[in-house]
Every structure is written in C-alpha cells, then in structure tokens.
Amino acid sequence: MVEVLEEVARRLYALPLDEFVAARTAAAKDAATSDRSLSQAIRELPKPSVAAWAVNMLAHDRPEAMQQLSDLGQTMQDAQASLDAAALRELARERRKLLGEAVAAARLAAEGHGRKISGPVATEVEETLRAATADPAAAAAVQCGMLLRVLSADGVDQVDLSGAVAVPAALGTRPALSLIHI
C-alpha cells in the first residue's frame, strides 16, 4: 500500500495548488472501492503551504536544478570537513548564484501552474532550498516533490523534517514523527 500511496501522492503534489483538494478527494473516492485504508491515507494527505508547493513545482519541472543544489551542498560539506576556507568562500558565492536561479525557476514553475509567488513566499522558497544545501536529508525531501512545509537550517544541526514530507517512506527512511501511519 505504501508504494501506491506514494504514487498517488506524487501525482497530487505535482498539480496546481488550487486543484489539490478536489483531486485528493477524487483519488480517495477511487481508492475506496478496493482499499479503505489506502482511501483514508489519501484523504489524510495534507495540502502543502504555498512555499512548499512552489518547491514541489520546481522539483517536478526542473529536477536538474534540485540536483545541482544537492551536489553543491555535498561539495560544501566536504569543504567544511576539510576546513578549506578558500573553497568555502567560493562555494558560498556559487550557492548564492544557484539559489537565485532556483528561486527564479520556482517562480516561473509556479506561474506556469497558475499562481504568482509573492516576495515573502519567495523568501521561504529560498530558505527551503538553502536548507537542502545544508543537509542531505533535506535535499532528498525537496527532491521528492512531496514537501508540505518550509524547511530551515541553522548550519549546525540537521534540518528538522518531522511533518515535512507527505509520504516519509518515499525518502527511504521512516521518521518517528511521520504524518501518516500505515
């Protein structure tokens, strides 16, 4: 059932935000004829925040942008581990550039799906994408395209992913505080 739920969730979280609730209801109704627990799990899939939805649109429309940020994050972590200050300065410049490009691409993706992104939402998108460069688990969360809320990183601790992904099993691990218990 988890695989089917993940498949349904991927389709739902790739839709325009205004279509999410109706599509979720229809998918739950379709599933009810054969699997009541799946139907209930679909019904419980939360609608994402606008910023999370914009990140999901970027993940669906421009996965290469997400991969670039993830790769850069890994390179930054390697430079940090080796205490390479010069590399970290250069990588920080590269991150600013990539984040700017990714936020612009997220705005375009959102507009292509019928919604303009405000300045404050764009800031939340950038904060989420920055978190993806700081933590490999956060990178996986944004790349899966089923993000529910904004992520943030303080640069010291791992990014808190509790309640951040619609189907935590899609990340390959099941957080203790998952939203859906199957």
Side-chain angles (χ1 to χ4, degrees), residues 5 12 20 24-25 27-30 32 36-47:
L5 178 62
L12 290 173
F20 180 85
R24 178 185 63 196
T25 301
K29 184 178 176 183
D30 288 347
R36 286 222 177 274
S37 61
L38 175 61
S39 176
Q40 183 62 34
I42 292 169
R43 192 171 281 108
E44 292 175 359
L45 290 171
K47 185 175 179 178

Side-chain angles (χ1 to χ4, degrees), residues 77 131-132 134-143 147 151 158-159 161 165 171 173:
Q77 291 161 26
D135 182 346
V142 299
Q143 287 177 305
L147 200 63
L151 303 178
Q158 291 181 327
V159 175
L161 296 177
V165 178
L171 301 179
T173 60

Side-chain angles (χ1 to χ4, degrees), residues 2 6 14-16 36 47 63 70 73 76-77 80-82 97 100 110 115 117 121 174 178 180-181:
V2 173
E6 182 180 337
L15 293 172
R36 286 222 177 274
K47 185 175 179 178
S70 177
M76 290 181 83
Q77 291 161 26
Q80 178 68 35
S82 65
K97 176 181 170 267
R115 185 174 288 254
I117 298 301
V121 170
R174 209 174 254 225
S178 66
I180 300 169
H181 302 287

Side-chain angles (χ1 to χ4, degrees), residues 25 37 40 65 79 89 95 117 123 125 146 152 156 158 160 167:
T25 301
S37 61
Q40 183 62 34
R89 281 190 298 279
R95 178 169 68 177
I117 298 301
T123 300
V125 168
M146 294 183 284
S152 63
V156 178
Q158 291 181 327
D160 176 15
V167 183

Side-chain angles (χ1 to χ4, degrees), residues 37-111:
S37 61
L38 175 61
S39 176
Q40 183 62 34
I42 292 169
R43 192 171 281 108
E44 292 175 359
L45 290 171
K47 185 175 179 178
S49 72
V50 175
W53 172 79
V55 171
N56 291 341
M57 293 304 95
L58 181 62
H60 289 286
D61 292 1
R62 297 274 316 275
E64 71 281 357
M66 300 300 241
Q67 188 61 52
Q68 284 180 318
L69 287 169
S70 177
D71 292 346
L72 177 67
Q74 184 59 55
T75 303
M76 290 181 83
Q77 291 161 26
D78 293 345
Q80 178 68 35
S82 65
L83 303 174
D84 188 342
L88 282 171
R89 281 190 298 279
E90 181 59 36
L91 291 168
R93 282 192 288 277
E94 179 69 15
R95 178 169 68 177
R96 281 190 298 278
K97 176 181 170 267
L98 282 180
L99 285 172
E101 291 170 357
V103 170
R107 280 181 181 267
L108 286 173
E111 287 176 13

